[in-house]
Amino acid sequence: MSSPVTPLSRVSRGRSNRGGAGPRGAAVPEVGPAGCGAWVALPGTGAGTGHGALHRGRLRPGRAAAPGRRPQDSGNVKQLYALVSETLRYSPVLDSIMDGAALLKAEKKLPPHLAKVLVYDLLFGKGLKCGGRWKVLVLKHRARLQAELARLKVRRKVSCNEDLLVPTEGVIQALQVPRYVRVNTLKTCKDDVVDYFKRQGYSYLGRAARMEELSSLSGKQFLLDPHLPELLVFPPQTDFHENRLYVAGHIILQDKASCLPAFLLSPPSGSHVIDACAAPGNKTSHMAAILKNKGQIFAFDLDPNRLATMSTMLVRAGASCCELANQDFLTVDPSDPKYSNVTYILLDPSCSGSGMVNRLPAEESAPSSERLRALARFQRKALSHALRFPALQRLAYSTCSVQQEENEDVVWDVLQEHGTAFRLVNVLPSWPHRGLATFPGAECCLRACPAATLTNGFFVAVLERQQECTSQGSSSSLPAEAEVDGGAERSQDGEGRGPRATRKKRRKKSPCVK
Ligand SMILES: C[S@@+](CC[C@H](N)C(=O)[O-])C[C@H]1O[C@@H](n2cnc3c(N)ncnc32)[C@H](O)[C@@H]1O
């Protein structure tokens, strides 16, 4: 395998940080002393020396997120994470016990969320070893809480605590979704990774011919995905977070659905690309790999903490063609000469996340209609803004939401707003789960969900600028004919080469959609 490379990506802070739907936009930037518009070097790159006065600080916090870094913190963080997620897992049970014992009525000053963590630790955890003055309050009710737990078990006819947990829909779905491993071609190649896993005792079954094969994997078997050429598939719950290849950035643990936007956008090497809402950067690093680090990715995000994590991740992945900016994408000026060669945009805006199967139990309820409206308003604005970049040829819009309001509705509204300038591209015709038929051509969009595609819930639409019309007919915003099919675009070794492979040929034949 090739040795790690040191990227020279840059992070800038944009001039404005207003608005946007980013839920974490208010966080204080943890960059060095740099002021507005200042440039900040990535950690460990040494990039600060090559760009003169532009570099005034170092971006630090992303280091904390890197596996293997700051080992002194990892124990506490792991314990805290375990305590919080276990409390959430037991949340309905704890509600019932606390109600039965009238804990919050008796202790009005005890914050409800803290009460829940303490009761979890008392009844199901380590027995409330710490907790200060709050511990004293909860311990006063120990006997009543224990009696409520015993009563609940009798009522539900179970003998152990675990049996009180009815698996949620999300948990059941998460158990069906395979572990997808994207080979980071900036650092290694598929064959080397396959060999590595074989040496680790895994058995490689080759490239899957059909999606169903992915669901029958067990033990130490793995496959190559039938759609994505650099995606390996392992049984659900396989954990590679401690794996050497993951720690070294040779593999990226990324759900298959989340690999679709960069794969379908497929910018040619050397292109200028915008990643409008980029952090934590999985899709950015995927695009850097597709570009072979040649060209330029302008990556924006409102959230400085997520950007910090992203910069660390990009260093680890060896992505060196990215320029990161802590800026509201809506304030990026499409007429700025800096972006005059941007021909590809990936827009993966903040969304309700309703498709994520691994969400915490507390997040599982459907998003409120008010929240959906606010998100869709931002998504429409961002998509419409993206289509204003003058050289733009192709755009991938994606969300990890399953709500029509954030997906088909956004795409259709914005397509109409832009008249005949852009059309939807009918990507991956062999993909089994399509956009909801809410407008003519919506089936060109892709949907994903655990049951149909063995992935998280997801949505992708690819928009392309309409070519100038010739005598063949007038242009229309209706979608193009079938353009890309994973099965139809195999290279000589039988593997997919990416959507662009067939695009050029077909465009010649049919520049306009009638
Ligand atoms: C779904 S996440 C992006 C995930 C990312 N594409 C990836 O693959 O790792 C959405 C991101 O949009 C950012 N965001 C929200 N509003 C924004 C805005 N107005 N401009 C730029 N970024 C924004 C959020 O901070 C968040 O990091």
PDB file of all heavy atoms in Angstrom, residues 52-71:
ATOM      1  N   GLY A  52       2.237  32.685   2.917  1.00  0.00           N
ATOM      2  CA  GLY A  52       2.520  34.026   3.418  1.00  0.00           C
ATOM      3  C   GLY A  52       1.541  34.476   4.478  1.00  0.00           C
ATOM      4  O   GLY A  52       1.171  33.723   5.368  1.00  0.00           O
ATOM      5  N   ALA A  53       1.095  35.702   4.334  1.00  0.00           N
ATOM      6  CA  ALA A  53       0.297  36.338   5.379  1.00  0.00           C
ATOM      7  C   ALA A  53      -1.086  35.720   5.550  1.00  0.00           C
ATOM      8  O   ALA A  53      -1.784  36.009   6.504  1.00  0.00           O
ATOM      9  CB  ALA A  53       0.161  37.816   5.065  1.00  0.00           C
ATOM     10  N   LEU A  54      -1.472  34.850   4.617  1.00  0.00           N
ATOM     11  CA  LEU A  54      -2.816  34.284   4.720  1.00  0.00           C
ATOM     12  C   LEU A  54      -2.948  33.381   5.929  1.00  0.00           C
ATOM     13  O   LEU A  54      -4.025  33.211   6.477  1.00  0.00           O
ATOM     14  CB  LEU A  54      -3.142  33.476   3.460  1.00  0.00           C
ATOM     15  CG  LEU A  54      -3.405  34.316   2.222  1.00  0.00           C
ATOM     16  CD1 LEU A  54      -3.615  33.415   1.029  1.00  0.00           C
ATOM     17  CD2 LEU A  54      -4.608  35.206   2.426  1.00  0.00           C
ATOM     18  N   HIS A  55      -1.859  32.783   6.373  1.00  0.00           N
ATOM     19  CA  HIS A  55      -1.941  31.825   7.467  1.00  0.00           C
ATOM     20  C   HIS A  55      -1.636  32.490   8.790  1.00  0.00           C
ATOM     21  O   HIS A  55      -0.541  32.932   9.030  1.00  0.00           O
ATOM     22  CB  HIS A  55      -0.954  30.681   7.228  1.00  0.00           C
ATOM     23  CG  HIS A  55      -1.366  29.872   6.052  1.00  0.00           C
ATOM     24  ND1 HIS A  55      -2.273  28.860   6.152  1.00  0.00           N
ATOM     25  CD2 HIS A  55      -1.031  29.974   4.761  1.00  0.00           C
ATOM     26  CE1 HIS A  55      -2.459  28.345   4.946  1.00  0.00           C
ATOM     27  NE2 HIS A  55      -1.724  29.008   4.092  1.00  0.00           N
ATOM     28  N   ARG A  56      -2.613  32.578   9.631  1.00  0.00           N
ATOM     29  CA  ARG A  56      -2.368  33.254  10.902  1.00  0.00           C
ATOM     30  C   ARG A  56      -2.672  32.391  12.106  1.00  0.00           C
ATOM     31  O   ARG A  56      -2.603  32.834  13.223  1.00  0.00           O
ATOM     32  CB  ARG A  56      -3.243  34.513  10.988  1.00  0.00           C
ATOM     33  CG  ARG A  56      -2.836  35.529   9.959  1.00  0.00           C
ATOM     34  CD  ARG A  56      -3.621  36.785  10.166  1.00  0.00           C
ATOM     35  NE  ARG A  56      -3.991  37.332   8.885  1.00  0.00           N
ATOM     36  CZ  ARG A  56      -5.117  37.965   8.653  1.00  0.00           C
ATOM     37  NH1 ARG A  56      -5.989  38.144   9.617  1.00  0.00           N
ATOM     38  NH2 ARG A  56      -5.385  38.426   7.470  1.00  0.00           N
ATOM     39  N   GLY A  57      -3.085  31.190  11.927  1.00  0.00           N
ATOM     40  CA  GLY A  57      -3.401  30.373  13.092  1.00  0.00           C
ATOM     41  C   GLY A  57      -3.473  28.913  12.721  1.00  0.00           C
ATOM     42  O   GLY A  57      -3.388  28.556  11.556  1.00  0.00           O
ATOM     43  N   ARG A  58      -3.590  28.089  13.717  1.00  0.00           N
ATOM     44  CA  ARG A  58      -3.692  26.651  13.474  1.00  0.00           C
ATOM     45  C   ARG A  58      -5.014  26.159  13.989  1.00  0.00           C
ATOM     46  O   ARG A  58      -5.466  26.555  15.045  1.00  0.00           O
ATOM     47  CB  ARG A  58      -2.562  25.922  14.198  1.00  0.00           C
ATOM     48  CG  ARG A  58      -1.316  25.987  13.399  1.00  0.00           C
ATOM     49  CD  ARG A  58      -0.287  25.033  13.917  1.00  0.00           C
ATOM     50  NE  ARG A  58       0.769  24.953  12.919  1.00  0.00           N
ATOM     51  CZ  ARG A  58       0.786  24.069  11.947  1.00  0.00           C
ATOM     52  NH1 ARG A  58      -0.139  23.157  11.883  1.00  0.00           N
ATOM     53  NH2 ARG A  58       1.747  24.068  11.069  1.00  0.00           N
ATOM     54  N   LEU A  59      -5.624  25.290  13.259  1.00  0.00           N
ATOM     55  CA  LEU A  59      -6.910  24.741  13.643  1.00  0.00           C
ATOM     56  C   LEU A  59      -6.651  23.507  14.475  1.00  0.00           C
ATOM     57  O   LEU A  59      -6.009  22.574  14.019  1.00  0.00           O
ATOM     58  CB  LEU A  59      -7.647  24.373  12.354  1.00  0.00           C
ATOM     59  CG  LEU A  59      -9.077  24.005  12.472  1.00  0.00           C
ATOM     60  CD1 LEU A  59      -9.901  25.221  12.826  1.00  0.00           C
ATOM     61  CD2 LEU A  59      -9.555  23.434  11.172  1.00  0.00           C
ATOM     62  N   ARG A  60      -7.097  23.502  15.698  1.00  0.00           N
ATOM     63  CA  ARG A  60      -6.701  22.416  16.591  1.00  0.00           C
ATOM     64  C   ARG A  60      -7.761  21.370  16.909  1.00  0.00           C
ATOM     65  O   ARG A  60      -7.462  20.210  17.007  1.00  0.00           O
ATOM     66  CB  ARG A  60      -6.191  22.995  17.913  1.00  0.00           C
ATOM     67  CG  ARG A  60      -4.812  23.617  17.784  1.00  0.00           C
ATOM     68  CD  ARG A  60      -4.344  24.065  19.136  1.00  0.00           C
ATOM     69  NE  ARG A  60      -5.239  25.020  19.727  1.00  0.00           N
ATOM     70  CZ  ARG A  60      -5.140  26.336  19.535  1.00  0.00           C
ATOM     71  NH1 ARG A  60      -4.202  26.828  18.788  1.00  0.00           N
ATOM     72  NH2 ARG A  60      -6.016  27.146  20.100  1.00  0.00           N
ATOM     73  N   PRO A  61      -9.036  21.803  17.102  1.00  0.00           N
ATOM     74  CA  PRO A  61      -9.922  20.876  17.797  1.00  0.00           C
ATOM     75  C   PRO A  61     -10.209  19.591  17.058  1.00  0.00           C
ATOM     76  O   PRO A  61     -10.569  18.611  17.685  1.00  0.00           O
ATOM     77  CB  PRO A  61     -11.209  21.680  17.975  1.00  0.00           C
ATOM     78  CG  PRO A  61     -11.111  22.775  16.979  1.00  0.00           C
ATOM     79  CD  PRO A  61      -9.679  23.051  16.768  1.00  0.00           C
ATOM     80  N   GLY A  62     -10.030  19.576  15.748  1.00  0.00           N
ATOM     81  CA  GLY A  62     -10.326  18.360  15.005  1.00  0.00           C
ATOM     82  C   GLY A  62      -9.514  17.174  15.488  1.00  0.00           C
ATOM     83  O   GLY A  62      -9.901  16.038  15.310  1.00  0.00           O
ATOM     84  N   ARG A  63      -8.340  17.445  16.083  1.00  0.00           N
ATOM     85  CA  ARG A  63      -7.504  16.336  16.543  1.00  0.00           C
ATOM     86  C   ARG A  63      -8.253  15.428  17.506  1.00  0.00           C
ATOM     87  O   ARG A  63      -8.059  14.239  17.523  1.00  0.00           O
ATOM     88  CB  ARG A  63      -6.274  16.872  17.259  1.00  0.00           C
ATOM     89  CG  ARG A  63      -5.253  17.412  16.315  1.00  0.00           C
ATOM     90  CD  ARG A  63      -4.149  18.069  17.090  1.00  0.00           C
ATOM     91  NE  ARG A  63      -3.131  18.561  16.183  1.00  0.00           N
ATOM     92  CZ  ARG A  63      -2.108  17.844  15.802  1.00  0.00           C
ATOM     93  NH1 ARG A  63      -1.943  16.636  16.237  1.00  0.00           N
ATOM     94  NH2 ARG A  63      -1.224  18.334  14.962  1.00  0.00           N
ATOM     95  N   ALA A  64      -9.106  16.028  18.322  1.00  0.00           N
ATOM     96  CA  ALA A  64      -9.791  15.239  19.343  1.00  0.00           C
ATOM     97  C   ALA A  64     -10.652  14.158  18.723  1.00  0.00           C
ATOM     98  O   ALA A  64     -10.881  13.124  19.314  1.00  0.00           O
ATOM     99  CB  ALA A  64     -10.654  16.143  20.210  1.00  0.00           C
ATOM    100  N   ALA A  65     -11.104  14.421  17.491  1.00  0.00           N
ATOM    101  CA  ALA A  65     -12.027  13.464  16.886  1.00  0.00           C
ATOM    102  C   ALA A  65     -11.305  12.323  16.187  1.00  0.00           C
ATOM    103  O   ALA A  65     -11.912  11.358  15.793  1.00  0.00           O
ATOM    104  CB  ALA A  65     -12.902  14.193  15.873  1.00  0.00           C
ATOM    105  N   ALA A  66      -9.991  12.457  16.031  1.00  0.00           N
ATOM    106  CA  ALA A  66      -9.294  11.428  15.268  1.00  0.00           C
ATOM    107  C   ALA A  66      -9.087  10.187  16.116  1.00  0.00           C
ATOM    108  O   ALA A  66      -8.687  10.277  17.268  1.00  0.00           O
ATOM    109  CB  ALA A  66      -7.943  11.952  14.830  1.00  0.00           C
ATOM    110  N   PRO A  67      -9.359   9.014  15.532  1.00  0.00           N
ATOM    111  CA  PRO A  67      -9.125   7.803  16.292  1.00  0.00           C
ATOM    112  C   PRO A  67      -7.652   7.728  16.663  1.00  0.00           C
ATOM    113  O   PRO A  67      -6.794   8.084  15.863  1.00  0.00           O
ATOM    114  CB  PRO A  67      -9.492   6.686  15.330  1.00  0.00           C
ATOM    115  CG  PRO A  67      -9.961   7.312  14.097  1.00  0.00           C
ATOM    116  CD  PRO A  67      -9.780   8.771  14.168  1.00  0.00           C
ATOM    117  N   GLY A  68      -7.363   7.288  17.849  1.00  0.00           N
ATOM    118  CA  GLY A  68      -5.990   7.107  18.241  1.00  0.00           C
ATOM    119  C   GLY A  68      -5.345   8.356  18.822  1.00  0.00           C
ATOM    120  O   GLY A  68      -4.240   8.305  19.324  1.00  0.00           O
ATOM    121  N   ARG A  69      -6.036   9.511  18.718  1.00  0.00           N
ATOM    122  CA  ARG A  69      -5.443  10.726  19.256  1.00  0.00           C
ATOM    123  C   ARG A  69      -5.928  10.974  20.671  1.00  0.00           C
ATOM    124  O   ARG A  69      -6.995  10.555  21.061  1.00  0.00           O
ATOM    125  CB  ARG A  69      -5.851  11.919  18.405  1.00  0.00           C
ATOM    126  CG  ARG A  69      -5.205  11.903  17.041  1.00  0.00           C
ATOM    127  CD  ARG A  69      -4.989  13.338  16.609  1.00  0.00           C
ATOM    128  NE  ARG A  69      -4.709  13.404  15.198  1.00  0.00           N
ATOM    129  CZ  ARG A  69      -3.475  13.444  14.709  1.00  0.00           C
ATOM    130  NH1 ARG A  69      -2.451  13.407  15.502  1.00  0.00           N
ATOM    131  NH2 ARG A  69      -3.290  13.519  13.425  1.00  0.00           N
ATOM    132  N   ARG A  70      -5.137  11.722  21.425  1.00  0.00           N
ATOM    133  CA  ARG A  70      -5.456  12.119  22.788  1.00  0.00           C
ATOM    134  C   ARG A  70      -6.020  10.970  23.598  1.00  0.00           C
ATOM    135  O   ARG A  70      -7.151  11.011  24.057  1.00  0.00           O
ATOM    136  CB  ARG A  70      -6.446  13.290  22.761  1.00  0.00           C
ATOM    137  CG  ARG A  70      -5.818  14.501  22.100  1.00  0.00           C
ATOM    138  CD  ARG A  70      -6.727  15.669  22.090  1.00  0.00           C
ATOM    139  NE  ARG A  70      -7.183  16.012  23.427  1.00  0.00           N
ATOM    140  CZ  ARG A  70      -7.897  17.102  23.679  1.00  0.00           C
ATOM    141  NH1 ARG A  70      -8.203  17.920  22.724  1.00  0.00           N
ATOM    142  NH2 ARG A  70      -8.299  17.350  24.894  1.00  0.00           N
ATOM    143  N   PRO A  71      -5.239   9.913  23.786  1.00  0.00           N
ATOM    144  CA  PRO A  71      -5.752   8.720  24.461  1.00  0.00           C
ATOM    145  C   PRO A  71      -6.220   9.044  25.881  1.00  0.00           C
ATOM    146  O   PRO A  71      -7.105   8.391  26.404  1.00  0.00           O
ATOM    147  CB  PRO A  71      -4.575   7.763  24.462  1.00  0.00           C
ATOM    148  CG  PRO A  71      -3.376   8.579  24.161  1.00  0.00           C
ATOM    149  CD  PRO A  71      -3.829   9.747  23.390  1.00  0.00           C
TER     150      PRO A  71
END
